[in-house]
Amino acid sequence: MKIALVGNQNSGKTTLFNTLTGMNAKIGNWPGVTIEKKTGIIKGTDFELTDLPGIYSLSPYSVEEDLSRKFVFDENPNIIINIIDSTSLERSLYLTTQLLELDCKVIVALNMVDILEKKGLIIDENKLGQVLGTKVLKISALKGTGIEELIQEIKKPIDVEQTYIYDTNMEEAIKKVESSINTSSLHKRFLAVKLLENDERFENISNEKIKNIAKELSQNYDTDLEEIIATERYQFIEQVKKQSVIKKETEESISDKLDKIFLNKFLALPIFILIMFLIYFLSVGVVGNLTVDWITGLVDIARENIGSALSKIGASEWVNSLIVDGIIAGVGAVLGFIPQLIILFVCIAILETTGYMSRIALLLDKLFRKIGLSGKSLIPFIVGAGCSVPGIMGTRIIENQAEREMTTILTPFIPCSAKLPIIALFSGYFFGKKSGFVSASLYFLAVAIIIISAIIMKKFVFKKTNNVFISELPEYKLPNMKYIAKDVLDKVIAFIKRAGSVILVCSIVIWFLLSFSFKLEYGVDVEKSILASIGKSISWAFYPMLGENSWGAAVSAIQGLVAKEQVISSMSVISGLAEEAETANSMFQKGIFNFFTASSAYAFMIFNLFSAPCFGAIGAMKRELGSNRKVLKALAYQTIFAWSLATIAYQIGSRLENGTLNMANILIISGIAIIVIKVLSGMKKETKNGCRNCPYSNSCKEHDNK
């Protein structure tokens, strides 16, 4: 038996899916968590349950709605479980009225009833089921209450009853259209309503008779039929609410009280900035200072002991070097940052599950609309703080194609967890106790880059963006530590697997290229190795941002295309083989990487954080953009922008360090630049309008007309 789980975004769908199947799909207290369908088997049965993306209607105006509608029509599920957020009953029931038009059994699951009752509202589920003509059950997907009753209802024989919600004229027209549909497909009532709405997606089954029925019906109303049908749906929903919802007097809810603080006109933005600063300050500054040296010490002890053991059993020198200087040094350099990642993952998970994520989207929507985006774009950005791949996939919740493509290109600018080792190592060594402030500054720099890039793209590439953003704020909820623990554990395991696979292979490759010459001679000086030769051919490109022709830094940055963690892994292997560095931090004290200063370290972080992402993210971009040409243009833009920004950062920073530039000079130059830009933009405007001083005034039609 096939069962579909359908509901609005943020209604608790995925939580119910996990409860019924025992799986651990991603959940979060914000819209757009599910962007692809997930399938599992309901525990104790052989029923196949499919969790469809959160939707507000079966009219395919977005990617999720199109996917859900196609599943209903192509897979023909036997039962649809329509999960409803009880705290947003009116919004949720609009989808329910459409589902009841399908030729399959619909079970309505009222979720979060306990939250509604705290607001002083009680839903009579028996009365609601009687009016809707279907079974209605109260459940709590999070607490697991009402789940057994839901499973028992699924097992009952399928008995589909038709619910009539429109006026007499409309119902008669629907019946006429149903009998005029020349197909044997199911869901004829749903199709009839869509044909009366003149939905272009169903034009292939329309005919002249149906068009005449719609034309005749439209003469009875003052407006188009689509609006009439929507109005009558809402009128029906209003009657349903009056008959089934009882209101009691109650105090102001906790969510309303909290929103007076978190959405306060003056406090909202400072609070958001403070929260994001604390996340990076805790993960990089506090935890980093406490754990990195300790874990690095363990890795170094492992290298020493394993190296000694290999020597005792007679392992060759190159085998010993491969394992100790290649594999352990490369993989260990990345695993040392797991504590920071855990803190970062926990903080992001708390933001997701409490409901604050939706507040951030609403908070920044006004700003984003000015640059061609909307509040929905913020969701992929914040998801991208964990990993760019799901962040890019999360752009599917955005209806407008231009905005979706913009967000896909901009999402990799957010520092993901793979970039955290780069931030932690460089900021921890070069900035010490200020590392938390430096790491937070990179996050806010990412926000600035996104805003600037969006303005550029809107001006020259994506000129037709739709900035509509409608979102109902969910209730605040205490974070569920069970799901947070699972979510964090899954991410950490995925990170370790990546270190044990991709980074392992890359470390071996780096070791080989460092240990051999082009003549395959082992043990050559690293300056004569294959890797050094390759690095020296491209190191010139990094000179403007580093002040040094460093082949080691160049090849490490290129390694970031495979995985951003590999930048640190590659540097660790290079440093270990070249200078026998004892710890990760000691790579900056002598040899190949001792040229780094605070300014070049900050510039190097900027380049690696904002240049082209890893291959996994590039693959996700390809799927979402749908064109190799678009992907190449996006990668070129990201890399050129990152290189330019890193170069500017180094050139200014190095001059501040050596005293040839001070803040007064910067402010004066910035002021002159702003004046010049304003003058140039004003001249352009005057020329366009045909002013008196325009050199082309003789040929300007606008000027002549004046």
Side-chain angles (χ1 to χ4, degrees):
M1 181 184 291
K2 290 183 180 180
I3 303 171
L5 183 56
V6 183
N8 291 175
Q9 296 177 353
N10 199 44
S11 60
K13 232 173 10 68
T14 305
T15 304
L16 178 59
F17 176 80
N18 289 339
T19 303
L20 289 171
T21 63
M23 295 175 67
N24 187 31
K26 170 74 175 178
I27 65 168
N29 189 17
W30 86 98
V33 179
T34 305
I35 50 179
E36 293 180 322
K37 62 182 183 182
K38 303 181 182 75
T39 301
I41 302 298
I42 296 177
K43 291 182 291 186
T45 72
D46 58 354
F47 301 154
E48 183 182 274
L49 179 66
T50 300
D51 178 21
L52 297 175
I55 57 175
Y56 292 104
S57 77
L58 283 177
S59 301
Y61 297 116
S62 66
V63 177
E64 311 100 291
E65 290 171 349
D66 189 45
L67 176 64
S68 298
R69 187 189 61 78
K70 281 182 179 179
F71 180 86
V72 170
F73 274 81
D74 297 343
E75 300 294 330
N76 290 317
N78 306 98
I79 298 174
I80 290 178
I81 300 175
N82 175 211
I83 184 167
I84 285 179
D85 178 358
S86 299
T87 63
S88 303
L89 190 64
E90 185 173 356
R91 181 194 68 187
S92 301
L93 285 175
Y94 189 88
L95 175 61
T96 306
T97 61
Q98 291 184 317
L99 295 174
L100 292 173
E101 292 169 351
L102 300 171
D103 295 330
C104 63
K105 180 179 178 180
V106 177
I107 301 173
V108 175
L110 290 173
N111 194 27
M112 298 182 247
V113 176
D114 52 337
I115 298 175
L116 184 71
E117 290 177 351
K118 290 179 181 178
K119 290 185 169 185
L121 296 173
I122 299 175
I123 298 178
D124 185 339
E125 69 271 27
N126 295 322
K127 186 64 177 178
L128 180 60
Q130 183 181 348
V131 177
L132 293 177
T134 190
K135 184 65 177 179
V136 177
L137 297 169
K138 288 182 178 179
I139 68 164
S140 174
L142 187 62
K143 297 178 181 177
T145 57
I147 301 301
E148 187 57 39
E149 291 83 350
L150 177 60
I151 294 175
Q152 293 304 317
E153 183 62 31
I154 292 171
K155 293 179 179 179
K156 291 181 180 179
I158 297 174
D159 182 20
V160 180
E161 295 183 17
Q162 191 60 66
T163 303
Y164 302 100
I165 67 174
Y166 306 107
D167 63 26
T168 304
N169 290 334
M170 187 68 71
E171 289 292 350
E172 289 178 357
I174 291 172
K175 289 180 181 178
K176 290 179 182 178
V177 173
E178 282 187 76
S179 62
S180 303
I181 296 175
N182 299 323
T183 66
S184 58
S185 63
L186 294 171
H187 318 304
K188 283 192 174 182
R189 178 176 173 83
F190 177 84
L191 292 174
V193 173
K194 284 296 167 189
L195 289 170
L196 288 175
E197 289 179 330
N198 196 28
D199 194 318
E200 296 177 356
R201 298 165 186 81
F202 301 97
E203 197 170 328
N204 60 316
I205 61 173
S206 184
N207 54 51
E208 199 62 35
K209 185 176 180 181
I210 293 173
K211 290 178 181 178
N212 288 333
I213 295 171
K215 185 178 180 180
E216 182 181 341
L217 180 64
S218 64
Q219 293 175 354
N220 297 326
Y221 302 100
D222 296 330
T223 185
D224 64 273
L225 294 181
E226 183 177 8
E227 186 175 337
I228 290 297
I229 290 172
T231 300
E232 294 197 12
R233 284 189 196 278
Y234 280 116
Q235 288 175 348
F236 173 75
I237 291 169
E238 194 61 35
Q239 291 300 317
V240 168
K241 284 182 63 180
K242 287 180 179 179
Q243 295 179 49
S244 59
V245 179
I246 303 169
K247 187 173 183 179
K248 301 188 301 182
E249 292 296 325
T250 185
E251 296 180 0
E252 186 179 31
S253 69
I254 295 176
S255 288
D256 291 336
K257 291 178 180 177
L258 289 174
D259 277 337
K260 287 183 177 179
I261 300 172
F262 290 117
L263 295 180
N264 181 274
K265 183 178 180 180
F266 302 104
L267 296 177
L269 190 57
I271 289 174
F272 168 63
I273 293 173
L274 179 62
I275 288 173
M276 299 312 299
F277 167 76
L278 287 175
I279 288 175
Y280 279 89
F281 183 78
L282 285 173
S283 59
V284 177
V286 177
V287 177
N289 292 333
L290 293 175
T291 61
V292 170
D293 290 339
W294 178 70
I295 295 178
T296 302
L298 292 179
V299 173
D300 292 332
I301 292 171
R303 289 178 64 184
E304 183 179 346
N305 292 337
I306 292 174
S308 299
L310 290 172
S311 297
K312 288 179 181 179
I313 63 174
S316 301
E317 181 185 347
W318 69 269
V319 172
N320 194 315
S321 177
L322 168 62
I323 295 174
V324 174
D325 300 324
I327 296 174
I328 299 177
V331 175
V334 174
L335 293 181
F337 298 99
I338 286 179
Q340 289 106 308
L341 287 173
I342 291 175
I343 298 299
L344 179 65
F345 292 151
V346 168
C347 291
I348 292 175
I350 290 173
L351 282 184
E352 293 173 353
T353 55
T354 56
Y356 185 64
M357 183 83 77
S358 295
R359 271 77 183 174
I360 298 173
L362 178 66
L363 176 64
L364 296 182
D365 177 58
K366 187 175 181 180
L367 169 63
F368 277 20
R369 276 189 281 118
K370 294 179 180 179
I371 60 175
L373 301 174
S374 72
K376 274 194 174 183
S377 298
L378 188 70
I379 295 168
F381 295 156
I382 295 182
V383 174
C387 178
S388 293
V389 175
I392 292 169
M393 293 172 63
T395 60
R396 297 177 189 178
I397 67 171
I398 301 170
E399 292 86 354
N400 181 264
Q401 183 177 353
E403 183 185 345
R404 186 164 60 247
E405 291 187 5
M406 278 180 67
T407 308
T408 297
I409 296 169
L410 297 174
T411 296
F413 282 135
I414 291 293
C416 66
S417 60
K419 299 171 183 176
L420 190 66
I422 303 173
I423 299 173
L425 179 64
F426 280 89
S427 62
Y429 182 83
F430 289 99
F431 299 97
K433 295 181 179 180
K434 297 179 181 178
S435 59
F437 293 92
V438 171
S439 58
S441 75
L442 290 166
Y443 180 85
F444 292 113
L445 179 60
V447 175
I449 290 173
I450 287 172
I451 292 172
I452 294 169
S453 298
I455 293 172
I456 294 172
M457 291 181 187
K458 182 175 174 59
K459 181 76 173 176
F460 299 104
V461 184
F462 302 106
K463 298 182 180 180
K464 295 181 179 180
T465 56
N466 182 8
N467 300 318
V468 177
F469 173 58
I470 301 174
S471 178
E472 194 161 323
L473 297 179
E475 295 290 313
Y476 285 103
K477 300 173 187 174
L478 289 174
N480 186 301
M481 299 313 298
K482 176 184 174 183
Y483 282 113
I484 287 178
K486 284 183 178 180
D487 185 47
V488 172
L489 181 62
D490 288 344
K491 288 178 179 177
V492 171
I493 291 174
F495 182 83
I496 294 173
K497 285 181 178 178
R498 190 160 63 241
S501 55
V502 175
I503 296 174
L504 172 65
V505 173
C506 290
S507 297
I508 293 173
V509 171
I510 290 294
W511 172 88
F512 176 82
L513 295 176
L514 272 172
S515 301
F516 289 87
S517 66
F518 279 107
K519 294 181 180 180
L520 296 183
E521 298 171 325
Y522 171 71
V524 297
D525 187 284
V526 291
E527 294 292 338
K528 298 178 181 178
S529 65
I530 298 172
L531 189 65
S533 300
I534 295 172
K536 288 174 183 177
S537 66
I538 59 174
S539 62
W540 57 269
F542 292 82
Y543 182 84
M545 73 177 77
L546 299 177
E548 182 82 13
N549 274 322
S550 172
W551 63 265
V555 295
S556 297
I558 300 301
Q559 283 278 305
L561 285 172
V562 180
K564 289 298 179 181
E565 310 97 313
Q566 184 58 29
V567 174
I568 300 304
S569 178
S570 178
M571 291 180 69
S572 179
V573 175
I574 292 171
S575 179
L577 284 174
E579 300 294 336
E580 297 183 354
E582 296 175 359
T583 65
N585 282 347
S586 67
M587 71 173 66
F588 299 121
Q589 296 172 3
K590 58 182 179 178
I592 290 178
F593 299 116
N594 72 340
F595 68 90
F596 272 107
T597 63
S599 58
S600 58
Y602 196 80
F604 193 64
M605 283 191 287
I606 287 175
F607 180 79
N608 283 286
L609 266 54
F610 305 128
S611 60
C614 65
F615 287 148
I618 292 173
M621 289 174 64
K622 169 64 171 64
R623 288 192 295 273
E624 302 309 317
L625 295 176
S627 164
N628 288 327
R629 186 177 179 182
K630 289 181 179 179
V631 172
L632 290 174
K633 285 183 177 180
L635 297 179
Y637 173 79
Q638 290 165 345
T639 304
I640 292 171
F641 197 100
W643 183 90
S644 303
L645 196 62
T647 299
I648 293 171
Y650 172 72
Q651 295 299 329
I652 294 176
S654 61
R655 284 163 174 76
L656 286 173
E657 283 178 337
N658 60 33
T660 58
L661 185 66
N662 54 44
M663 290 306 299
N665 293 337
I666 293 175
L667 292 174
I668 293 170
I669 293 171
S670 299
I672 293 172
I674 292 171
I675 292 171
V676 170
I677 291 171
K678 284 195 172 185
V679 169
L680 291 175
S681 61
M683 288 174 61
K684 185 177 179 182
K685 186 175 181 181
E686 288 179 349
T687 300
K688 183 178 179 182
N689 292 335
C691 72
R692 294 177 184 175
N693 297 324
C694 175
Y696 305 103
S697 59
N698 291 332
S699 59
C700 178
K701 292 182 180 179
E702 244 182 273
H703 181 78
D704 292 341
N705 290 335
K706 291 181 181 180

